[in-house]
Structures are given as C-alpha cells and as structure tokens.
Amino acid sequence: MLYESTRGNFPDQTGKEAIALGMVPVGGLFVPKELPQIHWEEVRGISYPELAQLIFKRYLPDFPEEKCVETSKIYTDGVFDSDNPAPLVNVGDMGVLELWHGPTAAFKDMALQALPHLLGESMQVLTHTDKVLILVATSGDTGKAALEGFKNVEGTEIMVFYPEHGVSTVQEQQMTTTDGVNTKVVPVVGNFDQCQSAVKEIFGNPDLREKFKEQGIAFSSANSINWGRLLPQIIYYYWAYLQGVESQRIRPGEKMNVVVPTGNFGNILAAYYAKEMGLPIHQLICASNENNVLTDFFSQGVYNRKRPFFVTSSPSMDILISSNFERFLYEVSGRDGSKVGKWYDDLQALGEFTVDSDTLAKARKAVIAGWAGEADVLAVIQSVYKEHAYVLDPHTAVAVKVYQDYLRESGDNTFTMIASTASPFKFAKTVLEGIDADALEDDEWANLRKLREITGWSIPKGLQGLEDKETFGLEPVQPEEIPELIQKVYIPNR
C-alpha cells in the first residue's frame, strides 16, 4: 500500500512515510493509491478493537502487526466511557452515533487517541530526527484531543493554535489547562482558516523545515490533513452499520444514510472512503452551519472563500477552507492531480476555483449538502429534547436539521445515522437556550450544572472541575507571527 499526492507533485510514500510527513511538503495531501475492500459481513460479530486492527492492517501493511494490535487496544483500555466507544442510540427514527465518549468529550478522541501510536511508529523512517514537533490548528475540539493524546509522550512536542474568541468557553478551558511538559497552547488573533493556513505554510516552508532539522526536530501534524488522523475515523462507520444490523434497525445488506456535521470535511470523507470500501451506504449528507461554503459548492461548482465569516454556536464548523475537501475532489475528478493543483493554486491566488461539469456531477452523485442557521439549531435542540428527551449539541443539531430538510424534500425513508460529534455539555449555554432559556446563567460553569439538573444527564468526567484548574496558555499572536513564535520557543539559541 503506497500513498500519492493529491496534486501529483511528490513521489509515492509508504504508510509510515505519509503519516510521519503529515502532509505533502510541496503542497497537497496524501491519499492511498487504492482502497481495500472490506465487506461488512467479514467483520460481523467482532469487537471494536478487532475491527480497528483489521482496518489498520489493510491500510498500513508496513506496520508491524503488534503495533496495529497495540493501537487498537486503546478503545478498551479505560480511555473511553465503556467497552463500546461509539454507541448507536435510537432517537425517534434516527440512529445517533455518539462519538464523544472519550477523554475530551468530542469525536476527535476516536482518532487522536490512536494517532500517537501510529505516529510514534512512523517517525522511525525519518533520519537525523530526535524529536517531532506536532503543529495543530483547531476550531475547538481537535486541540484538546491532540493535547490529551500527545501529552508527555516521549520524543514529541505539541503546539496548538486556536482562534481567540472563536471557541466555546469550555473548549478554551480544556486546552489551556493541559499541563503536559511538552504541550503549548496559543490563541491567534484571527479565525480558524488563518490558523490553519499559517500551519500549512510552515509545512511547506523548506527553509524553516531545514532550520528545525538541524536541531533534530521534524514537523508533523495531528490535524486531519495527516492520513494517520483520518484513517481511524473510517472504523466507526463500519461499527455504526454493524450496530444497526445487530439492533435490527437495518436489515442485513440494506443500505443506510449517513449525515455528518462538517467543517474541515475529514469526518464525512472517512464515511465516503468507507462507502468506497464496500460499506452499504446509500446517501452521504454534508451538513454545514452558516459558514456554508461547501453547500454553495455542491450547488454551483464554485468554491469561494471570499465571503463573510460567521462565529456561530457550532464553532468546530466555523471554517471556510475545508482541507480534506481536496482529497474528495481528487477522487471525484478521476484522481487528476494536475486539475486539483490548478484549483488550489486558484484558491490561494484568487480566493476561489470552479470545477468542470463532470467533476461537479460526480461530486453531487457522491454527496448531498445542506446547511442550518442559528435559529434552526435552537429549534432542533428544543424539539428533539421535547419529543425524545435527547440532548443534542449545536453541531449535531445542524446535522439533524439538514437531515429533516432532506427527508421532507426526498421522502427517502432509508435508515439514517447522524454522526454526533460532541457532548452537549461542551456548549451548555446554547443547549440550555434551546431547551429552557429561562434557566440560563451568566456563568458558563453554572450552565453545565443547570443542564445536568434539568436533563439528568451526567457531566463528562473530562469536564468536571475544569473551571478550577490552572491555565497554561501563551499570549495571543497574529497569524503571521506564528513561524517566528515556534522558532523562539523551540530554537531559543538560534
């Protein structure tokens, strides 16, 4: 199994090399040259770690089998709430896949608990390297999940950049209270796209990479631009289907729909890969908030980031440059690296690109897209709680609203799985506003306790007592100051 660049501009790499590099050093992302086929019946009846081990082995044949076994064990070693790290819960006619039972109460744990194992093995292919510096841009949840996964891991340093005032109070407190000896957290005066662009530019800067190489430090990423972050996300779509069959919500071999609240397009891309691997998925539905650049693309064939940026109640989706969309376009363009390279050159230079009609047609065949506004989010949180006593976070509420629109317009009664990406307690203010606005408190931590009191749900362990912990965040920086900052921190005597 080899990995190639989405822009056709770099030699093929092994799985270890692709994960160690994080992204293509000259621009672009790594994708597998072929997708292994795994029939759902082949994995019926096995545990989540066994399923993870199988998928890791198929995509990473250059990894020792014992490393795949070791990595898969993280799903049952007490890191998650129970031996089922991703339960499929019935909410009316929907199946809600709860992906937030890990240590940071967000779906990113499903991959970022595995990535340190995968990256640790992969770094062995890099020569003249004593340490890896993991640079992370986050719109809210990836940051804490990455910090938790790599905290105190020998041979690694991790620096996380997040948009100041662009994440929830709980998300910020989660990140800035991380007390690892190798962790640093930096607010950026700007939005997530600016954080992400700055990190990508560092990866693509040969002079900067050489400076750090001289110090025995290599760059890597824990964002989903890294194949090692994306790969573990494929697993839980198979797991959702198996649970649907086991609970008799899905007849054996029958297809299901999948709805994913989407920001950087990685989570829904994992579902796309699962479908291409043979998982019976009928329709993939991409749900955006008011930053609906993806919805507009599927409507018009134009990707245009020159648009207003909205700070919403679903901050992990407040993104205008969806990095993993490049991988998707590579697939639906017939794996045409020259086309993809041209489109992304245009995006960089002009702020937009337009795809050809054939690519657009294939994209529309693969994915349906919709979006939900802020009022929609509150209304859905309220109605789902009133009708089903189930509590949605704002991101999952976006997905439910887009699914409701799709169902009304299509009449498609296929069993539908909603990817639930975060605990509602991470966004207690918005959730309370939807369920019982009169119960709102001025203090966000009081809102967590009020939400627990009203719903009877438990506050996730990782959020308990968070407000009393000491913080360790650095001073805010401008996006253009990030390269200088990392040199100042990690090459102090330059």
Side-chain angles (χ1 to χ4, degrees), residues 443 445-454 459 467:
D443 178 64
W445 309 106
N447 286 331
L448 264 76
R449 294 186 286 273
K450 182 65 71 172
L451 185 60
R452 177 188 60 191
E453 177 185 319
I454 291 173
I459 298 174
E467 69 271 34

Side-chain angles (χ1 to χ4, degrees), residues 459-470:
I459 298 174
K461 188 184 302 182
L463 305 185
Q464 295 174 15
L466 195 59
E467 69 271 34
D468 299 322
K469 291 185 177 180
E470 182 182 359

Side-chain angles (χ1 to χ4, degrees), residues 117-350:
H117 297 269
L118 300 178
L119 187 58
E121 178 70 25
S122 299
M123 294 309 296
Q124 298 174 16
V125 304
L126 297 182
T127 58
H128 310 296
T129 298
D130 302 316
K131 186 176 291 186
V132 58
L133 171 56
I134 300 162
L135 300 173
V136 180
T138 183
S139 55
D141 287 329
T142 291
K144 177 57 177 177
L147 290 163
E148 193 66 26
F150 284 97
K151 183 174 70 175
N152 299 329
V153 172
E154 189 176 349
T156 65
E157 296 284 342
I158 179 169
M159 182 174 275
V160 170
F161 303 92
Y162 71 93
E164 187 183 32
H165 310 307
V167 300
S168 77
T169 300
V170 172
Q171 287 174 316
E172 182 171 45
Q173 189 76 354
Q174 280 187 298
M175 288 186 282
T176 57
T177 54
T178 306
D179 58 355
V181 297
N182 62 337
T183 60
K184 292 181 175 58
V185 181
V186 186
V188 177
V189 183
N191 58 42
F192 169 75
D193 291 318
Q194 291 170 299
C195 297
Q196 181 169 247
S197 294
V199 168
K200 284 183 175 179
E201 287 170 11
I202 289 170
F203 275 87
N205 185 326
D207 293 335
L208 202 55
R209 293 178 76 98
E210 188 59 33
K211 284 183 183 179
F212 276 80
K213 185 178 178 180
E214 290 171 1
Q215 303 296 316
I217 301 173
F219 295 143
S220 194
S221 174
N223 285 95
S224 55
I225 57 175
N226 191 323
W227 178 254
R229 227 305 288 285
L230 187 63
L231 174 58
Q233 296 180 252
I234 295 171
I235 302 163
Y236 51 71
Y237 289 107
Y238 272 87
W239 188 245
Y241 187 84
L242 295 173
Q243 290 181 91
V245 171
E246 185 67 24
S247 64
Q248 300 184 341
R249 295 297 303 272
I250 303 172
R251 291 194 298 272
E254 185 180 32
K255 293 184 177 182
M256 68 176 179
N257 291 333
V258 173
V259 188
V260 185
T262 306
N264 227 7
F265 209 78
N267 203 1
I268 193 168
L269 181 67
Y272 170 83
Y273 281 134
K275 181 178 181 179
E276 294 298 299
M277 291 164 62
L279 189 65
I281 293 176
H282 170 54
Q283 193 65 64
L284 292 171
I285 302 171
C286 169
S288 299
N289 63 17
E290 290 179 350
N291 294 293
N292 55 358
V293 61
L294 290 165
T295 311
D296 285 352
F297 170 84
F298 283 100
S299 172
Q300 304 161 11
V302 179
Y303 195 106
N304 185 353
R305 64 174 173 82
K306 299 180 299 181
R307 57 205 292 130
F309 180 90
F310 299 105
V311 176
T312 74
S313 61
S314 48
S316 295
M317 300 161 68
D318 290 346
I319 296 172
L320 295 180
I321 305 174
S322 301
S323 288
N324 272 290
F325 199 58
E326 179 170 343
R327 285 184 168 117
F328 176 72
L329 289 175
Y330 184 65
E331 300 295 342
V332 296
S333 68
R335 297 197 153 206
D336 190 328
S338 61
K339 278 185 179 180
V340 173
K342 174 63 166 57
W343 292 332
Y344 280 85
D345 285 346
D346 286 349
L347 187 65
Q348 177 71 20
L350 307 174

Side-chain angles (χ1 to χ4, degrees), residues 289-487:
N289 63 17
E290 290 179 350
N291 294 293
N292 55 358
V293 61
L294 290 165
T295 311
D296 285 352
F297 170 84
F298 283 100
S299 172
Q300 304 161 11
V302 179
Y303 195 106
N304 185 353
R305 64 174 173 82
K306 299 180 299 181
R307 57 205 292 130
F309 180 90
F310 299 105
V311 176
T312 74
S313 61
S314 48
S316 295
M317 300 161 68
D318 290 346
I319 296 172
L320 295 180
I321 305 174
S322 301
S323 288
N324 272 290
F325 199 58
E326 179 170 343
R327 285 184 168 117
F328 176 72
L329 289 175
Y330 184 65
E331 300 295 342
V332 296
S333 68
R335 297 197 153 206
D336 190 328
S338 61
K339 278 185 179 180
V340 173
K342 174 63 166 57
W343 292 332
Y344 280 85
D345 285 346
D346 286 349
L347 187 65
Q348 177 71 20
L350 307 174
E352 66 177 22
F353 63 78
T354 303
V355 301
D356 56 276
S357 58
D358 185 51
T359 296
L360 179 59
K362 290 178 180 176
R364 287 173 170 167
K365 184 177 180 181
V367 173
I368 286 176
W371 68 281
E374 291 293 88
D376 297 324
V377 168
L378 295 178
V380 167
I381 290 172
Q382 182 180 64
S383 64
V384 169
Y385 183 71
K386 183 177 181 180
E387 294 171 22
H388 307 293
Y390 189 83
V391 190
L392 298 172
D393 89 285
H395 304 75
T396 311
V398 168
V400 171
K401 175 60 169 66
V402 171
Y403 168 61
Q404 291 172 343
D405 291 344
Y406 168 76
L407 182 61
R408 184 179 63 254
E409 294 165 7
S410 69
D412 177 9
N413 290 313
T414 302
F415 174 75
T416 297
M417 185 221 85
I418 309 289
S420 180
T421 54
S423 164
F425 287 95
K426 297 193 77 166
F427 308 94
K429 179 179 183 295
T430 299
V431 176
L432 271 180
E433 191 176 351
I435 290 176
D436 184 359
D438 293 335
L440 273 174
E441 304 272 0
D442 292 334
D443 178 64
E444 181 66 1
W445 309 106
N447 286 331
L448 264 76
R449 294 186 286 273
K450 182 65 71 172
L451 185 60
R452 177 188 60 191
E453 177 185 319
I454 291 173
T455 65
W457 285 34
S458 299
I459 298 174
K461 188 184 302 182
L463 305 185
Q464 295 174 15
L466 195 59
E467 69 271 34
D468 299 322
K469 291 185 177 180
E470 182 182 359
T471 59
F472 301 93
L474 299 183
E475 290 298 313
V477 299
Q478 299 291 332
E480 62 272 15
E481 296 173 335
I482 290 176
E484 179 63 26
L485 173 66
I486 66 168
Q487 293 179 79

